[in-house]
Amino acid sequence: MKNAITAEWGKIWSLRSPWFCIVAAVLLTVGMAATLANDFLYDITQGRLPESETLAVLDPLTQAMQVGQFALVALAMLVVTSEYGTGVIRSTFLARPRRRDVLLAKTAVAAVAGFAAGLASAAAGWAAAALLLGDHAGPGEPVAACLRLSVVAMLACMFTVAAGFLLRSAAGTLTTMFVLLVGLQLVDPRIGQYLPAGAAVAFVAGDGVRNLWVLAAWTAAAQLAAGFLLARRDA
């Protein structure tokens, strides 16, 4: 298993695309967080909000991470779909006939990359928003908030790897993850709390560990489904 992870780690970082995805995630998060913070300050200068109004840094950062996170989803998607697109996946399965090992190795690589890049994006986004808001920044716990955001990014990347194996299509995987992580936020909250999008937002807001279990359960279900299909169909 260790050899499989080492091989997958070497494969993904030998490409330029993952590095571009990480840089894009950080820049998108910082840019979006700064824009939302600036919009809040603009409302104050225009008299739409009182001078004493404050904004929790986590509010714009959560929305910003939802945008930046998709660069990390694209990274996790590339771990799988790039090999299906080029046919290299056949060589991968020939080198390691136990296909579930390939799934676990790719998932491990995506999880580490997602957590680390998610933490960097969240920290940079928090710094940008807090700097712009200045005295208008509300109280918050930056370390805990950034860790929660990075955990969500990690689980999203793990989910994406499973979706990549299930769908074997870059477009299909990206569309599916967009619906699951963003689109389903439009669902009634009474149902949404049991779906990935709603659970992720609630967990980031600090609304209990139950939401983390919901998101983890969806990820585990996707991984189990991917492992089941991998063992029963051709590459």
Side-chain angles (χ1 to χ4, degrees):
M1 192 63 209
K2 180 181 177 182
N3 291 337
I5 294 175
T6 302
E8 294 299 332
W9 184 266
K11 272 195 288 187
I12 192 64
W13 299 118
S14 65
L15 304 173
R16 275 180 272 190
S17 306
W19 298 104
F20 290 149
C21 289
I22 291 174
V23 171
V26 174
L27 293 179
L28 284 169
T29 303
V30 169
M32 189 68 177
T35 299
L36 292 172
N38 190 61
D39 287 347
F40 175 79
L41 294 176
Y42 181 76
D43 285 343
I44 291 178
T45 59
Q46 293 298 306
R48 298 179 191 137
L49 293 172
E51 280 288 337
S52 59
E53 191 74 15
T54 60
L55 176 68
V57 177
L58 185 58
D59 290 350
L61 181 58
T62 299
Q63 297 178 59
M65 275 294 289
Q66 287 179 343
V67 176
Q69 180 176 257
F70 276 94
L72 302 181
V73 165
L75 187 160
M77 177 192 72
L78 286 171
V79 173
V80 180
T81 58
S82 62
E83 292 196 23
Y84 275 108
T86 58
V88 175
I89 193 70
R90 294 184 182 89
S91 300
T92 300
F93 288 149
L94 281 173
R96 189 158 291 273
R98 293 185 60 181
R99 295 185 174 188
R100 287 194 181 91
D101 285 356
V102 176
L103 169 63
L104 291 175
K106 288 183 180 294
T107 300
V109 170
V112 172
F115 182 86
L119 186 58
S121 299
W126 184 287
L131 185 63
L132 273 172
L133 289 171
D135 294 336
H136 294 288
E141 300 176 348
V143 174
C146 290
L147 285 174
R148 288 196 298 269
L149 284 164
S150 58
V151 167
V152 169
M154 178 187 72
L155 289 172
C157 288
M158 295 170 70
F159 202 143
T160 302
V161 170
F165 275 114
L166 288 169
L167 300 172
R168 301 193 285 191
S169 160
T173 301
L174 200 58
T175 301
T176 298
M177 295 310 299
F178 179 82
V179 171
L180 289 173
L181 295 175
V182 176
L184 291 180
Q185 290 184 39
L186 302 176
V187 175
D188 187 307
R190 290 172 296 181
I191 301 172
Q193 63 180 324
Y194 301 109
L195 300 175
V201 171
F203 172 67
V204 167
D207 190 15
V209 184
R210 183 187 68 83
N211 295 292
L212 175 61
W213 287 115
V214 171
L215 191 56
W218 276 88
T219 304
Q223 285 281 324
L224 288 172
F228 178 82
L229 285 182
L230 267 178
R232 282 163 178 76
R233 71 184 181 188
D234 295 334

